[in-house]
Amino acid sequence: MSDTNNKQANLYNSDGSPREVGVIGHPIEHSLSPAIHNAAFAHYHLPHRYQKWDVAPSDLLRFLNEAWIGNYLGLNVTVPHKEAVLRYLDEWDDIVEAIGAANTLLVEADVLTGYNTDPAGFLEALQRDANYEPKGKRTLVLGAGGAARAVVLALASEGAVEIVVANRTFERAATLVNEIGPLFPNVHIFATPLDPAAWPSNRNPRTLVVNTTSLGLLEPDKPFPISPEALSGRDPDRHTIFFDLTYGDTPFLKMARPIAAHVLDGLTMLVAQGAQSFELWTGLTAPRDLMLAAARNALTARDNH
Ligand code: ATR
């Protein structure tokens, strides 16, 4: 049987009922994932209803045991469980190992496997929205949390020539670089404070600046505190793409727009990483355009609520 057929057999319980699938997090109320995945299941006329489960950290083990016994198809995992789930996995891939976090679980007969579709989702969004390939490029990543780890891993694995990792807490950036840097000896990965004066200068501008911090999230009306010229390393020719992993017209994107070659928010990445999860569970090609439209509709409905 091919892998795709195996996956499709895996979609149902022995009594023919659809296996459970959904996302766990805490809080989870505002997740757009049900809208995104249910559009994909509906597209294939599959009876599955992707759900969201609010699971407190103290309840994680109990929930995973239940998922196991209940023979779930798989789960997406979001804040605050992405790192904590690792200790309950039987298997995980090199990407999970390098990031130290999983966002997708696949439940098969007697094995719980963890994946992280964030790096692939990030690259897919860059390619789809901005036709950008990191190979040979100079880049800057703001932040050093889990999202930054996924972005740095993605850029390094695609052969970016330089990745500056700038973070408010320098030690966190240093830890990230010490852990991921040795996996990519040909990529210059630097840790710096969140201060442009500390960033390496070069004649060539950075072609990609990614904001993974929550800076701007809490105070959306406050201007982003670092200028786009400083972020790109002087860019009079609009060569730089500015990518904010948050959704919407964020302070970072508002500030960058006048000098940007392109601005991207996090919605396409959310859909792309979700599409990759859907493909892992079902073996079917995810209908990305439909999923993106569903995400936009859900976001509009959420904002109008
Ligand atoms: P995620 O898993 O989404 O990456 P996280 O691990 O909480 O989330 O990381 C949040 C990032 O936003 C960190 O890089 C954090 O900087 P610190 O490591 O110094 O905490 C950054 N961040 C949050 N609020 C910030 C602020 N007001 N100014 C600058 N950076 C901020």
Side-chain angles (χ1 to χ4, degrees):
M1 211 195 272
S2 73
D3 187 45
T4 302
N5 286 339
N6 267 332
K7 291 252 164 83
Q8 291 186 23
N10 195 43
L11 287 169
Y12 298 95
N13 292 308
S14 50
D15 66 0
S17 60
R19 297 172 73 199
E20 301 264 18
V21 60
V23 59
I24 57 171
H26 184 68
I28 198 66
E29 187 49 35
H30 294 299
S31 174
L32 301 176
S33 294
I36 293 170
H37 285 277
N38 283 327
F41 284 114
H43 171 74
Y44 281 107
H45 305 291
L46 290 168
H48 300 73
R49 291 296 302 164
Y50 182 105
Q51 303 183 55
K52 56 186 175 196
W53 291 288
D54 193 322
V55 177
S58 57
D59 233 15
L60 181 61
L61 178 58
R62 187 193 59 74
F63 187 91
L64 290 176
N65 274 329
E66 238 169 54
W68 188 265
I69 294 160
N71 204 8
Y72 283 33
L73 173 60
L75 294 169
N76 280 134
V77 180
T78 188
V79 179
H81 303 311
K82 285 183 170 191
E83 290 86 13
V85 289
L86 258 56
R87 75 180 81 117
Y88 306 121
L89 301 178
D90 299 304
E91 292 181 4
W92 56 89
D93 65 5
D94 292 348
I95 299 173
V96 170
E97 179 77 30
I99 298 175
N103 74 344
T104 303
L105 307 186
L106 178 64
V107 186
E108 288 171 308
D110 50 359
V111 188
L112 182 63
T113 309
Y115 299 90
N116 196 317
T117 62
D118 282 338
F122 170 74
L123 291 170
E124 189 182 312
L126 263 181
Q127 166 61 242
R128 182 186 165 117
D129 280 2
N131 199 20
Y132 181 87
E133 302 289 348
K135 194 168 175 52
K137 307 280 175 48
R138 298 180 64 233
T139 63
L140 169 66
V141 178
L142 306 178
R149 282 175 173 263
V151 168
V152 170
L153 186 74
L155 293 174
S157 61
E158 289 300 302
V161 73
E162 179 184 286
I163 307 171
V164 178
V165 183
N167 197 44
R168 175 177 63 179
T169 310
F170 170 74
E171 293 72 23
R172 238 179 140 196
T175 303
L176 185 163
V177 169
N178 287 338
E179 288 176 10
I180 298 187
L183 305 175
F184 302 96
N186 297 328
V187 183
H188 299 287
I189 310 182
F190 304 91
T192 78
L194 198 61
D195 172 8
W199 302 343
S201 60
N202 191 296
R203 274 186 301 119
N204 303 315
R206 299 177 190 104
T207 55
L208 177 68
V209 179
V210 186
N211 180 34
T212 76
T213 74
S214 32
L215 195 55
L217 205 58
L218 296 177
E219 294 176 285
D221 299 326
K222 216 168 144 185
F224 198 81
I226 307 172
S227 77
E229 289 81 6
L231 290 167
S232 68
R234 306 278 175 270
D235 185 12
D237 299 328
R238 298 172 69 102
H239 282 310
T240 303
I241 292 165
F242 290 81
F243 191 157
D244 197 333
L245 298 201
T246 304
Y247 323 136
D249 196 14
T250 64
F252 175 77
L253 297 185
K254 278 196 185 103
M255 168 208 68
R257 189 169 285 111
I259 76 150
H262 214 96
V263 295
L264 275 78
D265 80 342
L267 202 65
T268 318
M269 175 176 166
L270 177 77
V271 170
Q273 62 79 27
Q276 308 245 357
S277 298
F278 180 85
E279 290 174 349
L280 276 168
W281 295 323
T282 65
L284 299 165
T285 303
R288 285 162 169 78
D289 291 341
L290 276 181
M291 294 167 90
L292 185 60
R296 289 218 170 93
N297 286 341
L299 191 60
T300 308
R302 194 179 86 180
D303 289 348
N304 291 338
H305 197 63

